[in-house]
């Protein structure tokens, strides 16, 4: 729900953000401008004291003879002259109360009336007769305008029918009026705040506020209100999965486990930096874990949640806490390695062989991954090493002239060969993330770009190994299904199994777009030739002749049609999956449909 | 730290301070724009049918009027139901200005108006179908007519908007038309301008502070919009 709210908030914000700023700014200004001045009270003379109505005037009813028709006749004073006003519908007329004759408000009279209602220091200018003016927009008849030359540019408006003072306008009011116009979005008449424009914007603004309040509630935690040093100290103890205690660190109550460890120099695996979006920072809570949140559910399977796995960046340290971290011991160390060999396996898959400074231990199992420390860099585009035979492929990409990464990040890469097969070298297979190439251009990925600039002799830092994607020690039939860079961990696993003399049947279904994109085709074919229990199937989604080892289609569909559909003992197979998110999701769904229990499906999600 | 970080943080914390008020501003603002002002004013509820004054009809003379009612400062000739009346204001030193209605024909004072007259006035003005369910003599003005002079007659109708008309017993004028849409408007207006007492002071300190913070809030939000979208990078 919250991501959706965020999306909505952002887009509505884009659409009416400017009007929102204008509402706030104009609202503030209207609140600041003094109401009395805006109303023109400043230079407005007090109303004259009531005077006794003289006896020597005509009776009110007499005016009807002159006026013809009227609904109301009311007495009044025009300076020193008693008058009657006759109201006839919208029309107002003025009659001398003594003579009964109609009174015309001429220029001289207008000036005198204006002066009488004005108490400021200014001198009146020549009155001007107007048919209608925006400044007294509600008065639908003619009016006299009398300007005064004071600092406020006061203007007195009088009704041309009755001589009544309509308004005192001044520069404060004029300023206010502009803000009013901006506030109600009636740019033509500045009076109708029921116009469709402001209603539309208002409803948009209401959405903005509602989603905003939602986000506010969702994004604040009580603990954020307490400065870190006032919070209680908590102890966080880290264990390895085998139960051995690794270390205890001090932390402030309320920090997340991820932050608490980071403050102590222990960087949990993460591609997103604590944003609850990469799903890599998982730890296991020892004891009764808090209820999983939406973010936990999004990244961790139900079975893991059940045994206490949670995202560390989403796990507040409210009390002393104990957690287990897979590969926990590796958190402390930052390893160094030298690039030994780089080979472009396909245009956009590159094998990088690292020689670590210290020989790797048994924890470097097939399926494990390293976190490569990607430094900040700014490099010219031609630093990406491109072999001649791939020039055409690279030329088709529209890469920026400078490649840059503004802050150091970490990226995960799986081992693509078991270490005993490589004499202690760490072999990675990295896919190039070109970014988006259409109109919404995106820079290429930070981590993959870095890896693609590496040359033999370069130094690389990493932590690890991490991860729980591993071969299960059993002799069941195994089905590997993969695509893209998912080749890496699957290849390491298969090599490891075969070299250890596994006897069970092993199938490997691998999907690529075209033959040119598929890595290690010959290697896999020769493994299949040498090992009767291993079969290799390359599935191409575009252009492929169909023969036994080359199938056209989507890899999970091909595996289904040719193997799984008619498999006599499907539920006795173990599955190992790794590939692009869409492929991974489709394959897991397929297996679910076929009734394969979740425990028999191991997968690694690269999220890319 | 990156500007996007600060923008997000500022927006979030300022939001905490004025977020709820911003929501109230939007709710009240939308209400005020969506419901047409004429409806709020109750133009659809009451009509002032002003019949014209008769050209020739016996009325008491000016001198007689002034004689009978001393200290008159203003005179208005108008109709009240089927009657022609003078509305006069008398002023005595040390006494409040007082309006009264005088029967134009007889010169007799007819105010303060009686319940029956007020009911007739209300029936005539009211445009709806509903019955009158109460007529009250009001000596202490309720909030919804706080600025009108008391005493008044309040006439309540049994319609869905709980319409109330307020009449002046001294002039027979319809002082105010109140109904639930108006009451909501007034209530929300209170939140809009943050004057919780009088509901009228647009220069109050609370509003000024909230609006200043609100402006910062909007600006930080606008700033954040720049970072929230993945802009195309120029190569
Ligand atoms: C457990 C694990 C194991 C992995 N193993 C491997 C492996 O063996 N081999 C391998 O190649 N990968 C592997 N990955 C993936 C790898 O960690 C990286 O995620 C991948 O290389 C991309 O990282 P990057 O820094 O190049 O791209 P990032 O900079 O993280 O960008 C990711 C993608 O988004 C695009 N992008 C960047 N910025 C924007 C933007 N502003 N708007 C829109 N799009 C944008 C990029 O172009 C790129 O396509 C693994 C991941 C995990 C979690
Ligand atoms: S750090 Fe990425 S999800 Fe926790």
């Amino acid at each position: 729900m919250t991501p959706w709210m965020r999306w909505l908030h952002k887009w509505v914000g884009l659409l009416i953000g400017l009007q929102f700023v204008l509402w706030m700014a104009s609202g503030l200004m209207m609140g600041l401008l003094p109401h009395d001045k805006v109303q023109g009270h400043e230079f407005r003379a007090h109303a004259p004291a009531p005077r006794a109505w003289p006896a020597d005037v005509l009776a009110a009813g007499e005016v009807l003879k002159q006026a013809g028709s009227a609904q109301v006749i009311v007495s009044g004073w025009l300076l020193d002259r008693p008058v009657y006003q006759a109201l006839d519908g919208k029309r107002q007329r003025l009659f001398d109360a003594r003579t009964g004759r109609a009174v015309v408000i001429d220029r001289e009279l207008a000036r005198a009336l204006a002066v009488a209602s004005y108490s400021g220091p200014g001198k009146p200018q020549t009155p001007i007769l107007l048919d209608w003016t925006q400044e007294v927009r509600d008065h639908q008849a003619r009016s006299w305008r009398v300007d005064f030359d004071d600092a406020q540019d006061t203007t007195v408006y009088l009704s041309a029918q009755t001589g009544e003072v309509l308004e005192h306008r001044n520069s404060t009011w004029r300023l206010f009026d502009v803000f009013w116009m901006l506030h109600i979005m009636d740019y033509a008449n500045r009076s109708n705040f029921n116009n469709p424009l402001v209603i539309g914007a208002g409803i948009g603004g209401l959405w903005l506020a509602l989603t905003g309040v939602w986000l506010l509630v969702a994004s604040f935690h009580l603990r954020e209100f307490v400065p870190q040093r006032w919070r209680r100290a908590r102890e966080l103890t880290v264990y390895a999965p085998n139960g051995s205690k690794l270390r205890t660190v001090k932390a402030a109550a309320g920090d997340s486990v991820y932050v608490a460890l980071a403050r102590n120099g222990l960087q949990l695996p993460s591609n997103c930096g604590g944003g609850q979006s990469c799903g890599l920072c998982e730890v296991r809570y020892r004891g009764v874990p808090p209820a999983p949140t939406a973010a936990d559910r999004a990244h961790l399977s139900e079975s893991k949640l059940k045994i206490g796995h949670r995202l560390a960046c989403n796990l507040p340290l409210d009390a002393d806490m104990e957690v287990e971290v897979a590969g926990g011991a590796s958190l402390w160390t930052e390893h160094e390695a030298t690039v030994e060999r780089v080979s472009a396996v396909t245009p956009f898959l590159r094998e990088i062989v690292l020689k670590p400074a210290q020989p790797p231990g048994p924890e470097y199992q097939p399926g494990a991954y390293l976190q490569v420390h990607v430094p900040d860099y700014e490099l010219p585009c031609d630093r990406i090493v491109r072999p001649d035979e791939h020039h055409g492929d690279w030329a088709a990409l529209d890469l920026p002239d400078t490649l840059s990464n503004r802050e150091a990040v970490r990226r995960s890469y799986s081992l693509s060969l078991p270490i005993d097969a490589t004499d202690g070298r760490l072999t990675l297979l990295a896919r190039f993330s070109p970014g988006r190439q259409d109109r919404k251009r995106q820079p290429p990925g930070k981590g993959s770009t870095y890896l693609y600039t590496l040359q033999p002799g370069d130094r690389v830092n990493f932590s690890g190994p991490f991860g729980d994607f591993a071969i299960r020690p059993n002799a069941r039939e195994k089905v590997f299904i993969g695509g893209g860079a998912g080749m890496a961990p699957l290849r390491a696993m298969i090599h490891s199994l075969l070299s250890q003399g596994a006897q069970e049947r092993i199938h490997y279904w691998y999907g690529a777009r075209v033959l040119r994109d598929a890595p290690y085709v010959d290697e896999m074919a020769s493994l299949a030739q040498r090992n009767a229990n291993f079969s290799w199937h390359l599935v191409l989604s575009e252009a492929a002749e169909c023969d036994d080892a080359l199938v056209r289609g989507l890899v999970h569909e091909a595996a289904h049609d040719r193997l799984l559909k008619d498999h006599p003992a499907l539920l006795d197979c173990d599955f190992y999956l790794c590939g692009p998110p869409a492929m991974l999701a489709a394959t897991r769904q397929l297996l679910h449909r076929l009734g394969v229990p979740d425990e028999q499906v191991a997968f690694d999600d690269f999220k890319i | 730290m990156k500007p996007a970080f600060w923008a997000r943080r500022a927006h979030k914390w300022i939001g905490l301070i004025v977020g709820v008020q911003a929501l109230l501003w939007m709710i009240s603002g939308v209400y005020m724009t969506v419901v047409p002002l004429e409806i709020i004013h109750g133009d659809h509820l009451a009509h002032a049918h002003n019949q014209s004054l008769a050209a020739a009809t016996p009325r008491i003379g000016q001198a007689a009027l002034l004689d009978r009612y001393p200290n008159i400062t203003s005179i208005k000739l108008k109709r009240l139901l089927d009657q022609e009346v003078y509305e006069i204001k008398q002023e005595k030193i040390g006494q409040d200005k007082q309006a009264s209605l005088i029967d134009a024909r007889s010169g007799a004072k007819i105010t303060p108006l009686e319940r029956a007259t007020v009911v007739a006035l209300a029936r005539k003005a009211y445009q709806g179908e509903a019955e009158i369910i109460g007529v009250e003599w009001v000596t202490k003005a309720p909030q919804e007519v706080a600025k009108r002079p008391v005493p008044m007659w309040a006439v309540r109708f049994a319609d869905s908007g709980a319409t109330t008309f307020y009449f002046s017993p001294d002039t027979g004028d319809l002082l105010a038309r109140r109904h639930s849409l108006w009451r909501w408007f007034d209530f929300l207006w209170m939140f809009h301008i943050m004057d919780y007492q009088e509901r009228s002071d647009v220069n109050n300190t609370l509003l000024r502070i909230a609006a200043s913070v609100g402006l910062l809030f909007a600006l930080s939000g606008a700033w954040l919009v720049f970072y929230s979208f993945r802009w195309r990078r120029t190569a």
Side-chain angles (χ1 to χ4, degrees):
Chain A
M1 194 75 165
T2 300
W4 190 74
M5 289 287 178
R6 202 178 294 280
W7 181 88
L8 203 64
H9 193 70
K10 189 170 102 170
W11 279 98
V12 179
L14 181 69
L15 285 180
I16 68 144
L18 179 64
Q19 181 56 37
F20 207 81
V21 171
L22 287 177
W23 273 328
M24 288 298 168
S26 54
L28 174 61
M29 289 314 293
M30 293 193 287
L32 288 178
L33 293 174
H35 190 66
D36 267 359
K37 255 191 167 167
V38 171
Q39 293 291 303
H41 294 164
E42 195 186 19
F43 295 145
R44 184 116 190 206
H46 288 294
R51 279 191 251 179
W53 188 244
D56 62 343
V57 297
L58 298 171
E62 302 286 314
V63 173
L64 280 171
K65 289 189 190 126
Q66 298 289 326
S69 126
Q71 288 92 46
V72 175
I73 294 167
V74 59
S75 70
W77 291 89
L78 201 61
L79 300 172
D80 289 329
R81 191 164 157 197
V83 289
Y84 283 114
Q85 242 184 57
L87 257 75
D88 186 15
K90 287 226 169 75
R91 204 152 63 118
Q92 291 175 300
R93 278 167 304 162
L94 202 60
F95 299 92
D96 188 300
R98 290 204 170 87
T99 64
R101 260 190 298 233
V103 179
V104 176
I105 310 290
D106 60 17
R107 179 164 277 126
E108 270 329 296
L109 198 47
R111 189 201 308 263
L113 287 166
V115 168
S117 90
Y118 177 80
S119 64
K123 294 265 158 304
Q125 312 294 305
T126 309
I128 305 164
L129 190 60
L130 301 170
D131 281 337
W132 179 83
T133 162
Q134 179 73 271
E135 298 214 328
V136 281
R137 54 193 73 125
D138 290 342
H139 184 69
Q140 296 296 346
R142 302 170 108 195
S143 58
W144 281 104
R145 163 187 182 136
V146 187
D147 291 325
F148 286 80
D149 59 351
D150 57 25
Q152 277 275 311
D153 287 331
T154 304
T155 302
V156 176
Y157 287 98
L158 305 134
S159 159
Q161 296 178 332
T162 66
E164 278 172 311
V165 175
L166 299 169
E167 293 292 352
H168 277 211
R169 296 305 191 203
N170 54 33
S171 40
T172 311
W173 178 86
R174 290 180 188 108
L175 190 62
F176 182 95
D177 197 44
V178 171
F179 291 124
W180 172 248
M181 169 187 82
L182 294 174
H183 208 74
I184 66 165
M185 302 175 81
D186 178 5
Y187 307 106
N189 299 317
R190 306 189 180 182
S191 58
N192 176 14
F193 53 77
N194 298 129
N195 70 74
L197 193 63
V198 73
I199 294 180
I203 290 172
L206 186 57
W207 265 108
L208 199 61
L210 285 172
T211 52
V213 167
W214 174 287
L215 290 176
L216 204 60
V217 173
S219 68
F220 265 109
H221 298 280
L222 222 51
R223 55 182 186 268
E224 287 182 68
F225 297 95
V226 186
Q228 194 204 334
R229 71 193 129 92
W230 291 356
R231 284 186 249 148
R232 301 254 220 109
R234 296 285 181 233
E235 282 190 349
L236 173 63
T237 312
V238 185
Y239 291 82
N242 63 14
S244 60
K245 183 166 155 180
L246 296 172
R247 197 154 144 187
T248 300
V249 301
K250 290 246 181 291
D255 276 352
S256 71
V257 168
Y258 180 86
V259 168
L261 289 176
R263 283 194 211 273
N264 284 280
L266 310 181
Q267 173 75 54
L268 283 177
S270 156
N271 278 5
C272 75
Q276 292 156 31
S277 62
C278 73
L280 289 182
C281 62
E282 91 185 72
V283 296
R284 196 177 84 79
Y285 191 99
R286 284 165 69 109
V288 182
T293 68
D296 291 322
R297 284 181 195 289
H299 294 288
L300 304 173
S301 67
E302 196 54 45
S303 49
K304 279 192 169 179
L305 291 175
K306 233 180 258 161
I307 56 168
H309 285 255
R310 298 287 182 272
L311 295 181
C313 61
N314 192 29
L315 187 62
L317 256 181
D318 295 326
D320 290 354
M321 196 188 285
E322 301 184 340
V323 294
E324 267 173 31
V325 182
S330 328
L331 293 178
W332 277 260
T333 46
E334 175 165 339
H335 306 287
E336 210 181 83
T338 314
V339 178
E340 203 170 74
R341 198 159 47 75
V342 176
S343 45
V345 182
T346 74
F348 300 116
L349 281 173
R350 189 158 294 190
E351 183 176 288
I352 296 161
V353 181
L354 304 174
K355 182 174 196 292
Q358 256 94 50
E363 67 278 17
Y364 287 74
Q365 285 298 318
Y369 66 91
L370 313 178
Q371 282 242 298
V372 172
H373 300 190
V374 180
D376 54 329
Y377 56 79
E378 193 158 327
L379 299 168
C381 180
D382 56 19
R383 281 293 292 278
I384 294 184
V385 185
R386 286 164 262 200
D388 289 341
E389 69 268 29
H390 295 156
H391 240 106
D393 307 270
W394 285 91
L397 294 188
D398 182 17
L399 296 178
D401 296 334
T402 18
L403 308 163
S404 66
N405 173 30
R406 283 209 257 160
E407 47 179 0
V409 294
R410 296 177 179 210
R411 290 290 180 265
S412 314
Y413 295 93
S414 309
L415 294 179
S416 78
L417 278 178
I419 52 167
D420 19 312
T422 57
D423 195 16
R425 308 295 191 276
L426 306 176
T427 313
L428 308 181
L429 179 68
R431 195 181 78 88
F432 187 72
S433 307
R436 290 185 60 170
Q437 297 292 323
D438 48 12
R439 262 188 318 119
K440 277 190 169 174
R441 244 179 78 176
Q442 296 299 344
K446 298 165 185 161
S448 56
T449 301
Y450 168 68
L451 290 183
Y452 273 60
T453 61
L454 291 179
Q455 285 180 327
D458 287 347
R459 302 213 165 249
V460 173
N461 288 341
F462 68 93
S463 341
F466 301 106
D468 53 8
F469 186 49
I471 306 172
R472 279 156 221 231
N474 63 31
R476 302 168 92 156
E477 182 171 346
K478 296 184 172 54
V479 182
F480 291 81
I481 303 178
M487 169 61 91
L490 302 184
R491 177 181 178 231
M493 288 173 163
I494 289 165
H495 271 277
S496 166
L497 284 167
L498 295 178
S499 70
Q500 283 167 17
Q503 293 306 308
E504 65 269 26
R505 280 208 57 75
I506 300 172
H507 312 260
Y508 186 11
W509 290 79
Y510 179 83
R513 209 165 49 82
V514 292
L515 190 56
R516 192 175 167 71
D517 284 349
Y520 307 122
V521 177
D522 297 338
E523 179 186 305
M524 289 297 146
S526 89
L527 275 182
Q529 222 157 44
R530 277 185 280 134
N531 297 278
N533 61 332
F534 175 60
S535 62
W536 151 253
H537 312 269
L538 178 57
V539 185
L540 300 179
S541 60
E542 281 173 25
E545 326 76 79
C546 277
D547 67 31
D548 218 24
L550 212 55
V551 185
R552 168 146 197 206
L554 297 176
V555 63
H556 66 285
E557 287 172 359
H560 176 245
D561 292 347
R562 296 178 168 231
L563 173 68
L564 310 177
K565 195 168 61 170
D566 302 319
H567 197 291
L570 189 64
L571 303 188
D572 292 332
C573 296
D574 270 0
F575 289 83
Y576 295 87
L577 321 177
C578 188
M583 180 227 112
L584 202 58
T587 313
R588 288 179 61 200
Q589 253 169 35
L590 171 74
L591 295 178
H592 193 80
R593 256 205 330 269
L594 293 175
V596 179
D598 279 352
E599 303 84 66
Q600 278 160 242
V601 182
F603 63 92
D604 210 8
D605 188 352
F606 289 4
K607 302 254 159 42
I608 191 107
Chain B
M1 286 293 175
K2 289 193 259 175
F5 172 84
W6 290 112
R8 199 173 296 280
R9 211 174 142 125
H11 193 62
K12 187 170 133 175
W13 280 94
I14 304 175
L16 185 69
I17 305 171
V18 292
V20 171
Q21 180 57 40
L23 178 61
L24 290 174
W25 274 325
M26 290 322 307
I27 293 175
S28 50
V30 166
Y31 181 86
M32 292 189 286
T33 55
V34 166
V35 186
L37 189 63
E38 305 82 65
I39 294 207
I40 298 298
H41 283 167
D43 294 355
H44 61 301
L45 290 173
H47 266 287
H49 332 243
N50 264 327
Q51 276 172 283
S52 290
L53 298 164
T57 181
R59 303 184 183 99
I60 67 159
Q62 171 92 344
L65 186 66
L66 293 184
D67 218 37
R68 223 159 132 183
Y69 302 97
N71 304 313
I72 288 183
T73 56
S74 97
I75 298 176
K76 186 189 222 170
L77 180 60
K78 66 175 190 183
R79 296 187 68 112
L80 183 79
L81 299 171
D82 296 328
Q83 219 172 349
E84 275 189 13
V85 293
Y86 284 115
E87 178 186 319
I88 58 168
K89 287 206 180 95
Q90 291 166 284
E91 195 149 9
K92 287 185 207 135
I93 311 230
Q95 224 180 325
D96 272 351
K97 170 158 57 173
Q98 223 210 322
S100 8
L101 295 181
I102 312 298
D103 179 19
R105 189 186 292 255
S106 68
K109 186 165 171 177
I110 57 170
T111 50
L113 295 176
E114 291 178 7
R115 175 184 297 259
T117 319
V118 171
V119 166
L121 282 171
R123 283 239 168 81
K124 189 163 173 218
Y126 185 61
Q127 292 300 296
E129 306 285 311
E131 290 301 313
I132 292 175
I133 47 164
V135 183
E136 259 172 73
W137 178 252
V138 178
T139 50
K140 203 168 157 288
Q143 162 83 36
E144 63 181 29
V145 282
K147 292 202 196 76
R148 305 289 196 276
V150 281
M152 296 181 262
W153 282 107
V155 183
R156 293 179 209 292
F157 293 88
D159 55 15
S160 56
T163 303
T164 308
F165 285 173
Y166 291 91
F167 286 94
S168 159
D170 298 325
T171 66
D173 287 341
L174 175 54
L175 294 174
R177 311 166 254 214
R178 298 292 179 249
H179 53 107
S180 43
L181 290 173
W182 184 95
R183 293 182 188 109
W184 271 106
F185 188 98
D186 187 54
F187 181 68
L188 292 169
W189 175 246
M190 169 179 87
F191 287 107
H192 208 74
I193 65 162
M194 302 179 82
D195 175 7
Y196 303 102
Q197 271 130 38
E198 306 286 324
R199 307 189 179 180
S200 61
D201 178 8
V202 292
N203 288 144
N204 68 76
T205 318
L206 188 63
L207 176 66
R208 286 174 172 180
I209 294 173
S212 314
V213 181
L215 180 59
L216 286 180
F217 182 47
L219 286 173
S220 67
W223 183 22
L224 198 52
V225 168
F226 280 99
Y227 294 108
S228 294
F229 291 90
R230 299 180 155 185
W231 300 109
R232 179 196 163 133
R233 278 226 199 143
T234 42

